[in-house]
RNA sequence: GCCGGAGUGGCGGAAUGGGCAGACGCACGGGACUUAAAAUCCCGAGGGCCGCGAGGCCCGUGCCGGUUCGACUCCGGCCUCCGGCACCA
């Protein structure tokens, strides 16, 4: 009898029609229109985002459809961050070329995105492994090189033995490779870097101008940049012509500096060793070697033993003029500050531990009873224990910002140092010793040195004749056709650079390229950027909070400084969707859904059984999108049931006699309709599709009940049903298009105007007034909206039950909140 | 340790310019339809206590305290969990 909703044919039909009409394609827009550029980018060859359980695609598509219905010009492009290790590792394992593997992945993901009904503007599609894309990575690299923002240096770098490549600091998590989880080693290698530290301050202060980013992400970036204000102080060291520079945040404690400690990697250590007698020299060299062998994890582990070695040299404390010993210490890091510290044991816990272990002097500068280091422990350990070296604080100023300012002023006046800001952020290491990435456009010439590839020779293409085997290093090195070249300067034989770029270079500027991905003349079109950017809404997982989002902000500033774009912040609004979790049958724990954990649900299978609309509806209904949500099989059924109720409702509305076309002006159903429009409009604006779905479920039930009860005109019922379809469309686009057409709607729902509500009709006429006695709910009154306190009191007096709480007592006061509550305070 | 976020039924979660705690859904129980089952639809439900019953009372949003006529919401102090940072000078 009833016609059930059968998913499949309906989806196919509408996906075909949308494709024919190219509904996602909105290229040029008339001035004065509102723009909306959504951005998402997947890793087709990687494992970070997956269709079907990364909910950002469905969320983004629902958002896109809503914006479109609201009449805003929107561009919904798709880019593939297609370089990277997984494709190369697959090549090593299976022998399939990374390109083939990647293209197959892209094709499969496209199929899945289309199966979900996601509308992308495929005319704007780009892929980072396309030479026409990566040539601009190379172009950008050359411009940065010219500006001193790309450079080569030999430095201790993070080496992942599993990936057989170096990693940026950002890619090392807890001493392990972010991707392969291998323990990261420190190696000395010459590598290419981007000078992101030059932009540390601009990247930091720009965060204050991003009100639509979450505090969470902004805090993570602030921590990562890690600004600290302090001073650089010069310490004269016996036997050295140049003073050793020290960074400190507490120059006001200079009087208490009782030793100097250098990182074993500090450049002057070799000089000191060279000037020592043989035994001492060997001690120094052994110590340096031992510290260097520690892995990054060991070196950074908290509570690790503080190892040190006295060099035998003396420095001079500029404040006291007294000699202090120069030590090497494993806890002093070579790449933070200046790689050298002044040890102030009385006011720094770490320095204190070191001093106690090696029996060094401890000199308090100011009272320590409330100070930085436990006073009793210090008194016990220090030869000068508890005795104030200098009575009072800096120049009599109590320790604090004022004392620090005075100390810096004194240092500058005396020429002993100056105020300085330090950052935790390090330069971005972009070299990777792998094949599947953008070749760095540089040539090593025996006579001219490292020479840039001329622009005319771009792109430097990846060679095809490359073999992928296990453990023999970068495959590019074994391609003679690639490596052997001529020097662009002198024409002599030269070697091509074989390092490729970190894939985060690809994703740090692709959102500009979307505007015209096939522009062969220039990297970006400034006029188009002015028109479309910043990206109105960026959607991505929290895992990009530091890496990708920091690099993108950096590169945008570089492009601005080059005069190519007129903005510093590429993403106006950032939304970080939470992950979907699911019980892992193997471990019995609830874990984030991922292929590697084997707890994914197959989107293909679910779509085949329940249709794309069910999958979309459930994914959006499962919980607030910014939080994690647990996937449940039964929940999918609930979503499917709802769509079937909508189908059933539409069947009944279709069968109504044709009569009149005007929507009703008022009446209970019209009021419910306008209330629902308001709820869904407001919820969707905050991405809260889960509460929008709840409102739509109530709405469906309301219309069905109105049908059962009779009393509403067919026109009113049609109006309600069609509004339901419009509001539901961004969430379940296929079934709503189908019924929109069958119920006589014009064109696509997608192209119908988003319904507007009448504020008057959206507000209920009758309200429930809560009656409290001494703050406890004792009754409820049904009142007309806008009823006065005296009207409410009259009803209270007529209410037996409420009166029983009031009778015999004195009403001290009443609190009346119109349309909400009446509180009687009695005694 | 520092920074950020979060603690609400059996479960996912609603409700914070202070004002009916638990919308909506899942799971569960009961009923209708059916020879039966599935599917579907309807009803019920935070916990405790009183009452044959209609119904009524008390407690309840991590814990303790405060402000207020009134606190999931605001303030103070804790606890737990999640995330980030951390020998960072």
């Amino acid at each position: 009898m009833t016609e059930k909703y059968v998913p499949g044919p309906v989806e196919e039909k509408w996906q075909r029609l949308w494709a024919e009409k190219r509904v996602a394609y909105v290229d040029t827009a008339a001035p004065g229109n509102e723009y909306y550029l959504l951005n998402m980018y997947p890793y087709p060859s990687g494992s970070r985002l997956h269709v079907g359980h990364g909910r950002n695609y469905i969320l983004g598509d629902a958002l896109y459809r809503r914006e479109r219905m609201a009449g805003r010009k929107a561009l919904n492009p798709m880019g593939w961050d297609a370089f990277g290790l997984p494709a190369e590792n697959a090549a090593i394992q299976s022998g399939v070329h990374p390109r083939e593997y990647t293209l197959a992945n892209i094709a499969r993901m496209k199929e899945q995105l289309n199966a979900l009904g996601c509308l992308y503007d495929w005319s704007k599609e780009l892929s980072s492994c396309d030479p026409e894309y990566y040539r601009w990575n190379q172009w950008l690299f050359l411009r940065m090189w010219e500006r001193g923002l790309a450079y080569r240096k030999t430095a201790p770098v993070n080496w992942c033995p599993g990936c057989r490549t170096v990693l940026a600091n950002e890619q090392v998590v807890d001493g392990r490779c972010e991707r392969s989880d291998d323990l990261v080693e420190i190696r000395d290698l010459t590598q290419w870097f981007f000078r992101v530290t030059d932009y540390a301050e601009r990247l930091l202060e720009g965060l204050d101008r991003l009100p639509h980013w979450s505090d969470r992400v902004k805090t993570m970036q602030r921590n990562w940049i890690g600004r600290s204000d302090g001073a650089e102080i010069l310490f004269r060291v016996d036997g050295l012509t140049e003073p050793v520079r020290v960074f400190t945040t507490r120059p006001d404690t200079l009087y208490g500096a009782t030793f100097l400690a250098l990182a074993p990697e500090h450049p002057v250590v070799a000089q000191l060793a060279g000037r020592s007698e043989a035994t001492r020299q060997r001690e120094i060299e052994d110590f340096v070697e031992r510290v260097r062998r520690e892995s990054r994890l060991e070196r950074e582990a908290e509570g690790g033993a503080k190892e040190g070695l006295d060099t035998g040299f003396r420095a001079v404390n500029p404040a006291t003029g007294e000699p202090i010993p120069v030590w090497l210490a494993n806890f002093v890091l070579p790449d933070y500050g200046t790689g050298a510290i002044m040890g102030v044991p009385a006011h720094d816990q770490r320095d204190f531990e070191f001093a106690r272990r090696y029996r060094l002097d401890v000199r308090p500068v100011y009272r320590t009873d409330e100070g930085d280091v436990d006073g009793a422990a210090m008194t016990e350990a220090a030869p000068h224990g508890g005795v104030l070296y200098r009575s009072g604080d800096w120049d009599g100023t109590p320790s604090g910002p004022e004392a620090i300012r005075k100390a810096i002023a004194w240092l500058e006046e005396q020429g002993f140092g100056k105020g300085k800001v330090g950052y935790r952020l390090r330069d971005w290491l972009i070299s990777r010793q792998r094949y599947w990435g953008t070749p760095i456009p540089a040539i090593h010439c025996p006579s001219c040195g490292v020479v840039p590839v001329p622009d005319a020779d771009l792109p430097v293409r990846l060679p095809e004749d490359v073999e992928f085997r296990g453990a023999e290093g970068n495959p590019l090195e074994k391609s003679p056709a690639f490596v052997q070249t001529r020097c662009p300067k002198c024409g002599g034989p030269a070697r091509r650079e074989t390092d490729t770029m970190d894939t985060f270079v690809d994703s740090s500027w692709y959102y500009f390229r979307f505007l015209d991905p096939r522009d062969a003349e220039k990297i970006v079109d400034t006029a188009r950027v002015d028109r479309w950017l910043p990206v109105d809404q960026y959607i991505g997982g929290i895992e990009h909070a530091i890496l990708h989002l920091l690099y993108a902000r950096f590169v945008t500033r570089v492009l601005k400084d080059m005069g190519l774009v007129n903005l510093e912040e590429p993403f106006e609004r950032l939304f970080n969707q939470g992950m979907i979790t699911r019980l892992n049958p193997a471990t019995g724990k609830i874990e984030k859904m991922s292929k590697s954990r084997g707890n994914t649900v197959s989107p293909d299978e679910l779509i085949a059984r329940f249709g794309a609309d069910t999958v979309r509806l459930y994914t959006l209904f499962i919980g607030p999108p910014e939080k994690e949500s647990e996937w449940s099989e039964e929940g999918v059924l609930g979503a499917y049931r709802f769509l079937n109720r909508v189908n059933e409702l539409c069947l009944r509305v279709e069968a109504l006699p044709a009569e009149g076309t005007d929507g009703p002006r008022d009446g209970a159903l019209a009021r419910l309709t306008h209330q629902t429009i308001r709820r869904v409009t407001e919820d969707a604006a905050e991405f809260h599709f889960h509460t929008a779905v709840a409102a739509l479920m109530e709405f469906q039930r309301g219309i069905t009940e109105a049908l059962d009860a009779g009393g509403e005109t067919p026109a009113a019922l049609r109006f309600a049903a069609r509004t339901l379809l419009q509001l539901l469309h961004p969430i379940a686009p296929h079934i709503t298009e189908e019924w929109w057409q069958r119920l006589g709607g014009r064109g696509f729902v997608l192209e119908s105007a988003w319904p507007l509500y009448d504020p008057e009709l959206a507000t209920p006429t009758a309200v429930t007034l809560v009656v409290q006695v001494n703050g406890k709910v004792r009754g409820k009154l049904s009142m007309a909206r806008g009823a006065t306190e005296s009207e409410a009191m009259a009803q209270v007096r007529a209410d037996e039950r409420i009166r029983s709480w009031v009778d015999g007592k004195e009403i001290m006061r009443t609190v009346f909140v119109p349309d909400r509550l009446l509180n009687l305070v009695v005694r």
Side-chain angles (χ1 to χ4, degrees), chain A residues 132-140 509 513 522-523:
Chain A
E132 287 313 305
Y133 184 84
Y134 69 67
R135 75 178 297 159
W136 296 109
N137 279 345
Q138 295 170 340
W139 183 90
L140 180 64
W509 65 280
R513 191 69 185 166
K522 53 195 179 304
I523 184 167

Side-chain angles (χ1 to χ4, degrees), chain A residues 169 287 359 403 522 561 656 810:
Chain A
N169 281 312
F287 182 80
R359 312 210 141 270
K522 53 195 179 304
D561 292 351
L656 292 170
E810 189 188 350

